[in-house]
Every structure is written in C-alpha cells, then in structure tokens.
Amino acid sequence: MKNESKSKAKSEAANVPFAFRAYSPEQLRDVLRKMYLIRRFEEGAEDSYTRGLIHGTMHLSIGQEASALGICMPLNGDDQITSTHRGHGHCIAKGAQVDRMFAEFFGKTTGYCKGRGGSMHIADVSQGNLGANGIVAGGIPIAVGAALSAKMQKNGKVVICFFGDGANNEGAFHESLNMASIWKLPVVFVCENNGYGMSTSTARSTAVANIADRAAGYSMPGVIVDGNNFSAVAEASSAAIERARRGEGPTLIESKTYRHRGHSKSDRNRYRTKEEIDEWKELRDPIALFESELRQFGILNDAGIEEVRASVEKEIADAIQFAKDSPMPNTGAVLDYVYTELPQ
Amino acid sequence: MNSAVRELTYSQAIQEAMAIALESDPRVFLMGEDIGVYGGAFQVTGDLVERFGTDRVIDMPISELGGAGLAVGAAMTGMRPIFEFQFSDFATLAMEQIVNQAAKMRFMLGGEVSVPLVMRFPAGSGTGAAAQHSQSLEAWLAHVPGLKVIQPATPHDAKGLLLAAVQDPDPVMIFEHKLLYKVKGPVPEGHYTVPIGKAEIRRTGRDATIVATSIMVQKSLEAAEILQTEGIDVEIVDLRTIRPIDRETVINSVKKTTRLLCVYEAVKTLGIGAEISAMVAESEAFDYLDAPIMRLGGADSPIPYNPELEKAVVPQVPDIVAGIRNLVQGRR
Ligand SMILES: Cc1ncc(C[n+]2csc(CCOP(=O)(O)OP(=O)(O)O)c2C)c(N)n1
Ligand SMILES: [Mg+2]
C-alpha cells in the first residue's frame, strides 16, 4: 500500500515537466515575463530601425526565446555566458536591463557599450554576459578561456557558450571542444540550431545529422532538446551545469529551434518557404507553448497572463523613452576605451 | 574597340566580370558564403547561381580557413577560383592560408607551381556594422610578398581589374569598399582588362598631389572641386593597386606639383600612406618638395557603432580640403 502510493506519486511527478517541479510559480511567472520581454524588445528594436532611430543591422531571435531562457534559468548570478550576433535574448535572459540595451542600439552613452558596440556587440559584463560577437564562432574559445579561469581560480563558476548551427563548421568550434574536454573545463556548449546559417541549411553545410553528434568526437555528452520547449531546455541545461560544476567537464547541448525573422535586415528569405515559416510560427511558437503549460499546470490563468503582458508593454515603452532621452557620445571622446592606458 | 558603354553600379560591374570569366574559362568557379540563392551578403553574385549552376557558384559552410585553403589547393592544380569573403574582416580567420600558403607557395617550390587565385573582400566603414565588420585591412595583405593587392575605386576599374586578376598567374586580393557597391559609372560591355600595378590620374592639377585609394578617390575629387573655387588646383592619383605600387606615376606627379597628401580610410599608423611617403622621400621627387609630405587616414581606433563616431574616425571631405589648404598655404 505504502509502496503503491509512492510509485503513484512518482509517476505523477514524471508527467509534470521538469520546470514545473523545479521552479516556484513566481519563478515561472518571471520566465514568462522575460519571454515577452525578449520578444517585445526585439519588435521594438525592429520598429525603431524602420523609423530610422537605429542604424546598421540586427539579428532577431524572435522564435528562440525559450532556448535563451531555459539555458540561463539554472545559472547563478555570477556564472558567465558568451553570446552571438543573435544575442539580444541571451542578454535579457542573463539579467540585462532593456533600457540600457535600447540605449546601446540608439548609439547613446547610457548604452551597455556606451554607443560603441550596438546590437552585434551587446554585453552586460556586470551580469556575467561577456558579450555578443560579430564573428561566427568567435565567442567559443573565449568561453573556454573563461572556464579555464574559473577552474584555475576555483571559484565554482560555470560558463555557457552560445553559438549557432553555422558556427559548428568553424575550426574554432572543434579546437575549443577538444580543449574543454581534455581539461574537463566547466563550460556548457549550447548550439542553438535554427536550421540555417544565413541562407545555408544545416543539411547543406554540415556532415552530421545532428550537431550534438559532434560531441562524440570530443568525448563529451551530446544532448538534443526541443529548443522551443522551455522546460526541456532548462532540464538539459540544469544537468549539464551540474556536471560542469562537479568538475566532470563540458556537455554539448543542441537546442533545436527556428528564427521567425530573416537572418538580418537585408534577408529576402529566398532559401526557405513561407509554409515552413508559418508552421513554426503557428504550431511551435515557444511563448504560446509555455503559456498553455502555465495554464495547464495551474500557474497562471488568462488574466494573470494578460497582467504579465501589460507590465512588459510598459517596461518596453519606458525603455525606448529612456534611450531616446539619453545623450549622444561626444565625438571628441572617440578614442576613449581603445586602450586602458597608454604611455604619453 | 566599338563596344557600348553603359552606366552600371560597381557591384553590377563586378558581377558582369565574374559572368564573363565563368563563361569564357571553364577553370573559373566562385566560392563563398551565401553566394548562391542568397546572392551574396551584398548581392554582388546576385543570380549567377541560376545562370551557372551550383557546381560553379559554390555556397560553402561558414569555414573561412578551410574554404580559403581549398581555393589555394584548387588554384595550384589547374582551377581559377574566385573566392568571396563575406566581409573583409573575416580574412583574419583565413590568414594562415593566405599569408603562409597562397603567398609563398610558388616561391617555396622554386617556381614549380603558381597560385592563380582571386579573393574578393568587401571592406570599409560607413554601414553601422561596428568594429568587426568595418575594417580596412588591405595593408596587412600588402605587406606580404607574393600577393598582389588592388582597390578599385570605380565601376569601370572594378570590372577591368577583376578580369585582369582572373588572368593573373598569382594570387590577387581585391578590396571592394562596401559604400562603392551602389555607385554608378560608365562600364564598357564585354571583356577588357585594367592593368594591375598601374595607378590612374583622375584629375590633373598643379598645386598639390593627392594619392588616394578606394572610396577616398571619390572624396578627394569632391574636395578638389571645393579647393578649385579657392584657386587651389589639385591632382588626384588613384593608386588602384597597392602592391605592387606604381612608383612612376606617383613620383612624376609629386615632381610636378611639389606637394603630397596621402588619403586612405585604413588606420593611418603603419599604413599605405607611410609607404607612399617613404617611397617619395627616398626618390628624386624629394628635391622637388615644397612642403612636408602629409597623410590623412583612419584614427587609431576600431570603428565605432554610433554613426557620428563612425564618421569621426575616417577622413571626410572637409578633412581633405583642410589638409590641402594647410599644405599649399603653408608656403604662401
Ligand atoms: C567568421 C564569420 N563568417 C561569416 C560571418 C557572417 N555571418 C554572420 S551570422 C552568419 C550565419 C551564422 O549562422 P549560425 O551560426 O547558424 O547563427 P544564426 O545566425 O542562425 O543564429 C554569417 C554567415 C561572420 N559574422 N563571421
Ligand atoms: Mg543558425
């Protein structure tokens, strides 16, 4: 009898997704808030770009929100990440403020990089985000270096290394995985596989069926997750982070997802079909999926969801206003930050 | 020749040159990232994949080092690759193959092979793409014996120099300023070449010489119009090739005008302007100089994202005007 009820409780728990067992309702509500925040931040950035308030280009991660949040959820505040050109979501998930992000996109002194970096170099070092990167795979060895620091300094930090599917064909990827593995460094490699590196599908660019298959070549676990399912991503991330923290070395997580928008502002979407894009938007939107789980497991009802949504609208509007009102850098100070110090 | 001359953009001129090369020489193929159905990051390859197929317009994975090495190997063994870097900044990932292999292969093997390779590099600032997508790295490659390095400034030259590069038996590196892609100019139909290693005088004048490269040729021409209204008559030498440099054209111009300003977008320090200055100072033109040789180049800074800062770190027309005024009025 006793045994029976125990196993029943166990099987029930098994039907409840990881996130709904591991996190409190407040935490789950905050995950939803951050998902909206990423999406509305990027829509706001897109809109500001169209109005000529932002120049250059940008790479939107709309459709990939669950991946950024699921990966970052199990991290401690002082753990670190390296990010990519598609890095707005990572930045927000790691704790950045959207007002300072908008300010950066507007080229203002109050921006995270004081107007020097823009979208492609967005960072928030105070929260452990060592920066987005304009070079495909450029951040991968840097993450491994940060993990080497953590090991040498014995500070218990873990480093998350985000990159795209396209990056897995750069030499830096292969060299980095090998070194992380031989030295058992506390790093988690996270490939956000959105199916394409610019116009080139993984089928055309990559010799293995799954990026996670590459892990075998470097003697580390390779894990595939549904990148649009927050809970699945958080579960995989949590296991990999724990393993890294125990000193057992790196893991390669492949988070399968999709970007709703084009690669960048200049993409004409000639390499994929409208049907494919619509299918991902309509059937596999990570935010819609998470909302329905929140309802299903009794965390939030429609009114609660609406409340979160409204709070984000205000946060975004205020952040854009902050960016607009912030000062432009002075051209006389253009050489600031090139060096820390120069002999006179 | 009676071939018609049309107005084409710089990028159309390059695309036309590549089409002619593909049509006329079965050894030629294109390779790069997103150069197929995407048409290239700057739409320079455009629809060439539809015309020539995926065997000759090859989309490669994001693997600059490997891709560049494949191009070197193919060039050594009978093919004529035209390799596109998506941005010139990514040359840094392929430096090993360019500098240690392509440039030296013929020399190391005692002339037993040659490397007829063309590499194209979209370069320069002005697009808001920030520090890793806006550099001008041509002087890095020009420092390496074995490479030829060119910087076409007009649609006409972009086509003619590319066709010359395809015929050239040695590796030719072509730096194309991104802001020039949409600039229009007269371009003859059909096949023609512009000689590598020859500068072109874009404007004749008697008071001072500007030696400029790439987009700075256009900016210098604008500055010259302003200076003309002040009675200062500037000669503009478009260097076109930065390795090997056309010594004669530069030196003759300086002997005539007695003053020299070098204008280039790349970081001024240790750049092409230093080379031109030293070359002139070491030559017989030195005795003709009426003023110190001056350089205008990029600031000692990465390219910032903010548009005003971005403009502030590279020479603009008013800087060129001021630079020439100082040179000329210094004597008056
Ligand atoms: C070394 C290098 N090569 C090429 C590029 C141009 N580029 C920027 S993003 C990108 C595609 C990257 O694909 P992926 O890694 O899958 O990331 P995603 O854009 O899909 O997030 C390319 C080719 C670059 N920035 N750096
Ligand atoms: Mg991708």
Side-chain angles (χ1 to χ4, degrees):
Chain A
M1 184 69 195
K2 215 177 162 194
N3 258 345
E4 223 180 275
S5 77
K6 213 175 171 183
S7 73
K8 193 170 168 235
K10 223 172 154 187
S11 75
E12 266 173 15
N15 285 332
V16 176
F18 168 84
F20 294 85
R21 289 179 270 130
Y23 304 124
S24 69
E26 289 68 40
Q27 284 177 307
L28 292 168
R29 188 177 185 276
D30 198 53
V31 170
L32 181 68
R33 188 184 72 82
K34 282 188 165 167
M35 278 197 188
Y36 287 148
L37 202 56
I38 295 172
R39 178 142 322 171
R40 295 297 296 142
F41 174 84
E42 292 201 318
E43 287 171 352
E46 199 173 30
D47 181 60
S48 304
Y49 182 90
T50 315
R51 291 163 193 269
L53 293 166
I54 296 177
H55 86 144
T57 190
M58 62 176 86
H59 307 87
L60 302 175
S61 66
I62 292 176
Q64 304 185 186
E65 295 89 346
S67 180
L69 283 166
I71 293 294
C72 290
M73 189 67 187
L75 290 176
N76 296 335
D78 64 351
D79 287 331
Q80 292 167 321
I81 68 168
T82 63
S83 173
T84 71
H85 59 284
R86 204 173 301 289
H88 312 152
H90 307 149
C91 197
I92 292 172
K94 192 67 179 72
Q97 292 165 226
V98 286
D99 52 358
R100 293 196 60 198
M101 289 178 68
F102 272 122
E104 185 57 35
F105 287 30
F106 283 49
K108 302 297 181 76
T109 51
T110 51
Y112 274 115
C113 315
K114 304 185 181 69
R116 270 68 173 177
S119 155
M120 210 157 28
H121 304 295
I122 196 77
D124 177 8
V125 179
S126 70
Q127 296 289 330
N129 178 356
L130 301 178
N133 209 306
I135 301 299
V136 169
I140 303 179
I142 294 171
V144 178
L148 178 65
S149 273
K151 186 172 181 181
M152 288 176 149
Q153 295 168 10
K154 299 191 173 55
N155 60 20
K157 289 186 194 178
V158 168
V159 185
I160 296 285
C161 172
F162 284 108
F163 55 96
D165 47 286
N168 101 93
N169 294 311
E170 288 280 18
F173 166 86
H174 295 270
E175 298 179 25
S176 300
L177 263 70
N178 186 55
M179 283 188 276
S181 182
I182 57 175
W183 295 324
K184 292 210 178 323
L185 298 178
V187 55
V188 179
F189 298 100
V190 179
C191 178
E192 294 188 310
N193 182 351
N194 57 15
Y196 299 87
M198 215 156 147
S199 68
T200 311
S201 67
T202 48
R204 290 174 58 223
S205 70
T206 302
V208 287
N210 302 294
I211 312 292
D213 298 348
R214 302 271 203 216
Y218 303 102
S219 301
M220 67 176 80
V223 182
I224 298 174
V225 285
D226 174 355
N228 286 13
N229 180 327
F230 166 77
S231 181
V233 179
E235 186 166 18
S237 177
S238 179
I241 290 168
E242 278 168 27
R243 177 181 143 86
R245 241 190 265 287
R246 287 195 303 266
E248 291 168 22
T251 302
L252 171 58
I253 297 176
E254 177 179 5
S255 173
K256 299 222 193 238
T257 181
Y258 198 79
R259 59 168 156 75
H260 292 181
R261 296 296 195 273
H263 167 72
S264 69
K265 287 281 135 200
S266 48
D267 189 344
R268 297 174 298 166
N269 265 323
R270 283 171 131 198
Y271 51 88
R272 52 183 196 175
T273 61
K274 188 171 177 300
E275 291 69 41
E276 179 184 294
I277 301 171
D278 287 345
E279 190 196 316
W280 280 89
K281 278 190 187 169
E282 282 152 26
L283 304 180
R284 295 193 239 176
D285 183 276
I287 299 186
L289 287 172
F290 189 56
E291 283 173 346
S292 76
E293 284 184 329
L294 287 169
R295 286 193 203 94
Q296 185 187 342
F297 296 104
I299 308 294
L300 284 177
N301 57 20
D302 287 352
I305 287 173
E306 200 39 53
E307 205 177 293
V308 178
R309 209 191 283 269
S311 79
V312 166
E313 289 310 309
K314 173 150 172 37
E315 191 171 349
I316 293 293
D318 291 350
I320 292 178
Q321 197 57 45
F322 170 82
K324 280 186 182 159
D325 294 344
S326 290
M328 277 288 183
N330 172 357
T331 52
V334 70
L335 297 185
D336 287 1
Y337 317 118
V338 178
Y339 293 95
T340 315
E341 205 173 10
L342 258 190
Q344 288 310 306
Chain B
M1 291 265 263
N2 55 0
S3 63
V5 174
R6 306 110 333 134
E7 290 274 310
L8 291 185
T9 64
Y10 189 92
S11 64
Q12 285 168 336
I14 295 167
Q15 186 183 118
E16 188 168 276
M18 292 194 290
I20 290 171
L22 284 163
E23 256 158 26
S24 58
D25 187 341
R27 299 170 303 175
V28 171
F29 69 93
L30 313 185
M31 187 159 142
E33 291 162 11
D34 307 285
I35 65 168
V37 64
Y38 197 92
F42 297 97
Q43 297 302 316
V44 178
T45 42
D47 65 356
L48 289 179
V49 71
E50 280 151 43
R51 293 168 57 191
F52 296 97
T54 51
D55 288 346
R56 299 188 72 202
V57 179
I58 304 174
D59 255 345
M60 61 175 230
I62 310 172
S63 305
E64 289 81 7
L65 173 63
L70 256 68
V72 174
M76 286 170 65
T77 52
M79 302 303 285
R80 299 241 158 187
I82 303 177
F83 186 89
E84 174 178 301
F85 281 89
Q86 205 159 72
F87 284 78
S88 66
D89 311 69
F90 312 153
T92 54
L93 282 84
M95 270 311 185
E96 196 286 302
Q97 285 294 325
I98 300 172
V99 174
N100 295 326
Q101 311 298 342
K104 301 171 173 52
M105 197 59 77
R106 177 173 175 77
F107 176 82
M108 294 186 298
L109 303 191
E112 292 297 318
V113 295
S114 60
V115 185
L117 163 66
V118 178
M119 288 182 157
R120 299 182 34 246
F121 303 88
S125 68
T127 64
Q132 294 175 332
H133 287 72
S134 304
Q135 298 170 89
S136 299
L137 299 176
E138 60 276 0
W140 286 31
L141 296 186
H143 191 66
V144 182
L147 303 178
K148 295 176 180 171
V149 183
I150 61 187
Q151 288 185 279
T154 65
H156 173 278
D157 285 2
K159 178 176 170 185
L161 281 164
L162 179 52
L163 285 168
V166 172
Q167 285 175 5
D168 198 283
D170 291 314
V172 182
M173 311 285 118
I174 308 180
F175 284 78
E176 303 163 355
H177 200 292
K178 284 166 272 179
L179 295 186
L180 290 175
Y181 281 137
K182 295 210 167 95
V183 170
K184 282 192 168 173
V187 178
E189 278 178 353
H191 188 277
Y192 68 93
T193 58
V194 168
I196 294 171
K198 277 268 161 270
E200 174 83 354
I201 296 177
R202 294 280 172 211
R203 185 183 197 282
T204 54
R206 54 189 155 69
D207 296 328
T209 295
I210 292 178
V211 172
T213 56
S214 189
I215 194 161
M216 290 300 154
V217 173
Q218 189 53 43
K219 290 192 179 171
S220 298
L221 285 165
E222 285 173 43
E225 290 308 307
I226 296 168
L227 289 158
Q228 192 69 59
T229 65
E230 302 173 12
I232 300 174
D233 189 21
V234 181
E235 176 146 311
I236 295 172
V237 177
D238 171 0
L239 203 54
R240 299 203 292 199
T241 300
I242 64 167
R243 173 181 276 275
I245 294 174
D246 180 353
R247 208 171 166 271
E248 196 186 333
T249 301
V250 173
I251 287 170
N252 287 342
S253 176
V254 175
K255 278 160 74 177
K256 183 176 87 174
T257 66
T258 75
R259 294 178 186 86
L260 172 60
L261 177 69
C262 304
V263 187
Y264 50 110
E265 176 170 321
V267 171
K268 176 173 134 183
T269 308
L270 293 156
I272 184 69
E275 183 57 37
I276 299 287
S277 307
M279 183 187 86
V280 169
E282 287 169 350
S283 78
E284 74 269 20
F286 180 74
D287 291 333
Y288 293 73
L289 287 172
D290 282 327
I293 301 168
M294 298 300 288
R295 293 169 295 159
L296 261 183
D300 277 319
S301 169
I303 302 291
Y305 163 70
N306 175 287
E308 292 308 314
L309 297 186
E310 184 179 21
K311 278 190 212 116
V313 296
V314 298
Q316 304 296 339
V317 174
D319 303 319
I320 304 173
V321 170
I324 290 288
R325 261 188 215 137
N326 286 343
L327 259 191
V328 173
Q329 289 165 356
R331 196 186 54 155
R332 281 183 186 167

